Amino acid sequence: MILLGLLCTVAALFPLYLKYRVVLTGERCKGKITGIAEQRGGYSVGGYAVKKRAYLVKISGKQYYTAHGCLFAPFGRKQIGKEIWVFRNETYGREVFRCRDPRIEVLALVFFSAAVLCFLYA
């Protein structure tokens, strides 16, 4: 159980690290949503490659995509043409993080709660 708790702790801290290295060292800028792109998620479930939908954001002539995109495409299409605030850092690629989007923090809280339960029952 301790090993599972350590694994859950790492799983909670790693997404926070990926986000806040861009948020704390990047710049806050305004971008316009130009579309939705489907990409491979980088992993497979049941033998099928997982795809994610990300918003395409145009900032000063360059195209970026959001780190966590839209869950439902019909609702995401309504966002096309709107301006949003994002954090970007050129050294970490073309991925930007939306301001005031707590999804990664909620995911980290779930994993950290699982880690605490694993440590309590060990």
Side-chain angles (χ1 to χ4, degrees), residues 5 26 29 52 62 64 78 83 91 101 108 118 122:
C29 50
K52 80 171 193 174
K62 288 187 179 178
Y64 297 89
K78 292 180 183 178
E83 288 189 346
T91 58
D101 195 0
C118 288

Side-chain angles (χ1 to χ4, degrees), residues 8-29:
C8 286
T9 303
V10 169
L13 294 177
F14 188 66
L16 289 175
Y17 164 73
L18 291 177
K19 178 180 180 179
Y20 282 101
R21 72 178 183 173
V22 173
V23 170
L24 296 177
T25 62
E27 64 175 304
R28 185 173 181 231
C29 50

Side-chain angles (χ1 to χ4, degrees), residues 42-51:
Y43 56 95
S44 63
V45 174
Y48 295 102
V50 174
K51 291 184 180 179

Side-chain angles (χ1 to χ4, degrees), residues 21-76:
R21 72 178 183 173
V22 173
V23 170
L24 296 177
T25 62
E27 64 175 304
R28 185 173 181 231
C29 50
K30 200 175 213 179
K32 187 174 186 179
I33 297 175
T34 59
I36 299 173
E38 279 197 10
Q39 332 172 308
R40 291 181 179 238
Y43 56 95
S44 63
V45 174
Y48 295 102
V50 174
K51 291 184 180 179
K52 80 171 193 174
R53 290 184 193 96
Y55 289 117
L56 292 173
V57 180
K58 193 170 196 174
I59 302 170
S60 65
K62 288 187 179 178
Q63 198 81 272
Y64 297 89
Y65 59 92
T66 55
H68 29 357
C70 60
L71 295 175
F72 304 108
F75 296 125

